[in-house]
């Protein structure tokens, strides 16, 4: 495991990310908190682009929990059948919509525990919603962040929870709000798993990755 970056190095890393993109955005299309929950839940083992293609028409007709219930599971399946595990995901979308209507008055709750009580919503999904919709500095650790956290020495950890804690503990407060988006985008487009583009990396002089391609 690489040696963790120092505090001053962390400040420099995230200053560069901020200078490059001051307001990073998630790439899942949504129109409100509910459609964000659904989109993130559908994105498990799927690409954001694939989810966006599947939900563009779905969200036109079902952008609230009640509308999703009225649409029904079979119709949801027809909209999302291009996404992996679409049948199970459609069941979860209907189940979480029912819970939101029956237990939360049709509104998406703003607590992690409540979000995680919804079918198909795990810790990562809950953190994405808390960060993107409610403005909490929650850190949603996906494969990109797990990889970069360990590879670059930014947030080393043996599992996603450990990396999440490391991001929370080690990233300076001023960068917490956008930290997970910067890291996801960096992992998606630059620090890729198989062919990292180290030559065009903003932090290649700081990163501790031993197998740099530069």
């Amino acid at each position: 495991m690489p040696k963790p970056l120092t505090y001053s190095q962390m400040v420099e890393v995230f200053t560069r990310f901020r200078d490059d993109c001051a307001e990073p955005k998630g790439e899942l299309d949504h129109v409100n908190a509910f459609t964000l929950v659904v989109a993130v839940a559908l994105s498990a083992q799927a690409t954001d682009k694939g989810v966006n293609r599947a939900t563009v028409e779905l969200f036109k007709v079902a952008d609230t929990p009640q509308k999703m219930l009225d649409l029904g599971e079979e119709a949801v399946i027809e909209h999302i059948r291009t996404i992996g595990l679409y049948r199970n995901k459609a069941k979860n979308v209907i189940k979480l919509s029912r819970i939101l209507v029956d237990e939360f008055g049709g509104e998406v709750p703003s607590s992690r525990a409540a979000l995680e009580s919804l079918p198909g919503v795990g810790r990562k999904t809950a953190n994405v919603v808390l960060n993107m919709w409610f403005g909490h500095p929650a850190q949603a650790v996906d494969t990109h962040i797990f990889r970069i956290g360990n590879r670059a020495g930014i947030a080393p950890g043996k599992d996603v929870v450990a990396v999440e804690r490391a991001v929370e503990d080690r990233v300076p407060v001023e960068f917490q709000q956008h930290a997970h988006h910067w890291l996801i985008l960096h992992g998606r487009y630059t620090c890729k798993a198989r062919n990292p583009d180290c030559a065009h990396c903003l932090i290649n002089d700081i990163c501790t990755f031993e197998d740099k391609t530069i």
Side-chain angles (χ1 to χ4, degrees), residues 2 150-153 191-193 196 198 206-213:
N150 284 289
R151 176 186 279 179
C191 194
K192 294 170 283 189
C198 299
I206 302 174
C207 169
T208 58
F209 184 38
E210 293 182 356
D211 298 324
K212 291 179 187 177
T213 57

Side-chain angles (χ1 to χ4, degrees):
M1 186 176 294
K3 182 180 178 181
L5 301 184
T6 66
Y7 178 79
S8 61
Q9 288 175 318
M10 293 286 284
V11 170
E12 180 62 25
V13 164
F14 283 93
T15 297
R16 293 183 192 183
F17 286 154
R18 182 177 62 189
D19 289 347
D20 182 64
C21 181
E23 295 288 334
K25 304 294 183 185
E27 297 183 324
L28 284 172
D29 295 337
H30 60 282
V31 296
N32 54 29
F34 171 68
T35 54
L36 178 59
V37 170
V38 172
V40 181
L42 293 177
S43 71
Q45 300 181 51
T47 65
D48 288 359
K49 289 182 179 179
V51 172
N52 290 340
R53 285 194 296 269
T55 58
V56 62
E57 296 301 323
L58 174 63
F59 291 160
K60 287 180 181 179
V61 295
D63 60 355
T64 70
Q66 187 59 59
K67 288 180 182 178
M68 194 68 75
L69 290 174
D70 293 342
L71 188 63
E73 185 176 324
E74 289 304 315
V76 173
I77 286 174
E78 289 305 308
H79 280 284
I80 69 169
R81 64 169 53 253
T82 56
I83 300 175
L85 306 175
Y86 64 90
R87 290 190 182 278
N88 188 57
K89 288 178 179 180
K91 287 180 190 258
N92 284 335
V93 167
I94 293 299
K95 288 179 181 178
L96 72 84
S97 297
R98 172 55 64 193
I99 292 172
L100 288 174
V101 169
D102 291 348
E103 299 183 19
F104 296 99
E107 299 294 325
V108 173
S110 59
S111 83
R112 181 183 287 114
L115 286 167
E116 288 191 63
S117 73
L118 301 174
V121 176
R123 188 178 184 87
K124 185 187 80 170
T125 299
N127 282 344
V128 170
V129 175
L130 290 173
N131 181 280
M132 290 180 62
W133 192 259
F134 295 106
H136 297 178
Q139 306 301 332
V141 176
D142 67 353
T143 56
H144 297 303
I145 296 181
F146 184 78
R147 179 175 67 254
I148 295 171
N150 284 289
R151 176 186 279 179
I154 291 173
K158 293 182 178 180
D159 54 44
V160 292
V161 175
V163 171
E164 178 185 327
R165 295 290 184 237
V167 173
E168 292 174 343
D169 292 342
R170 305 193 73 252
V171 175
V173 173
E174 64 182 297
F175 303 111
Q176 284 281 330
Q177 182 62 47
H178 295 308
H180 95 273
H181 274 131
W182 282 318
L183 292 172
I184 287 172
L185 295 174
H186 187 63
R188 185 171 291 166
Y189 298 110
T190 303
C191 194
K192 294 170 283 189
R194 294 186 178 179
N195 298 298
D197 188 8
C198 299
H200 298 96
C201 174
L202 292 172
I203 61 170
N204 59 24
D205 58 322
I206 302 174
C207 169
T208 58
F209 184 38
E210 293 182 356
D211 298 324
K212 291 179 187 177
T213 57
I214 185 173

